[in-house]
Amino acid sequence: MTEQVEITEERRSDSINLSSVAATKVKSLLEQEGRDDLALRISVQPGGCSGLRYQLFFDERTLDGDTVTDFDGVNVVVDRMSVPYLNGAMIDFVDTIEKQGFTIDNPNATGSCACGDSFH
């Protein structure tokens, strides 16, 4: 009989969270870009069918009021306006036959749209 072990990652409620799988994927993408000066920027912007949508992109800028958190060598940057929406959120990376990409599990979201691209 094989025993299944569930890996749980500590989730902080006072900042953004990045799973170890997502951190590994970000490192891989940065290596492909040949850049070590970029951080993963996550922000919340108005838009989408539920009112707010996430933006994830690599950024070399540091803006006034940014919160920077290091996850195993990966810097994750959140602007000061997005921090209240993202505290406690977990960014993960999934790679299945059905879906591949970054996911955000956000306890601050009270609802989302059917496509999953926006929340409120």
Side-chain angles (χ1 to χ4, degrees):
M1 186 166 145
T2 58
E3 183 178 324
Q4 284 189 324
V5 178
E6 184 176 326
I7 299 172
T8 57
E9 300 198 41
E10 182 180 335
R11 184 184 286 211
R12 294 180 50 179
S13 61
D14 63 338
S15 74
I16 193 87
N17 297 273
L18 187 70
S19 74
S20 58
V21 173
T24 300
K25 183 63 177 179
V26 170
K27 283 182 187 178
S28 172
L29 292 170
L30 288 173
E31 286 172 8
Q32 289 175 21
E33 291 289 319
R35 304 273 304 261
D36 61 2
D37 61 330
L38 298 176
L40 178 64
R41 182 174 289 277
I42 301 164
S43 66
V44 174
Q45 300 290 322
C49 43
S50 288
L52 298 170
R53 62 185 173 87
Y54 301 109
Q55 284 192 322
L56 280 78
F57 57 95
F58 291 123
D59 199 353
E60 61 191 15
R61 301 169 300 152
T62 302
L63 305 174
D64 188 35
D66 279 349
T67 300
V68 181
T69 309
D70 180 274
F71 294 95
D72 195 24
V74 174
N75 283 332
V76 177
V77 180
V78 180
D79 65 271
R80 68 174 165 223
M81 299 300 284
S82 298
V83 166
Y85 296 106
L86 294 170
N87 277 343
M90 174 67 78
I91 293 132
D92 197 5
F93 184 81
V94 295
D95 188 1
T96 66
I97 196 166
E98 298 165 338
K99 180 178 182 178
Q100 181 184 39
F102 289 96
T103 62
I104 300 176
D105 177 22
N106 190 347
N108 303 305
T110 57
S112 63
C113 61
C115 62
D117 287 339
S118 68
F119 70 99
H120 60 271

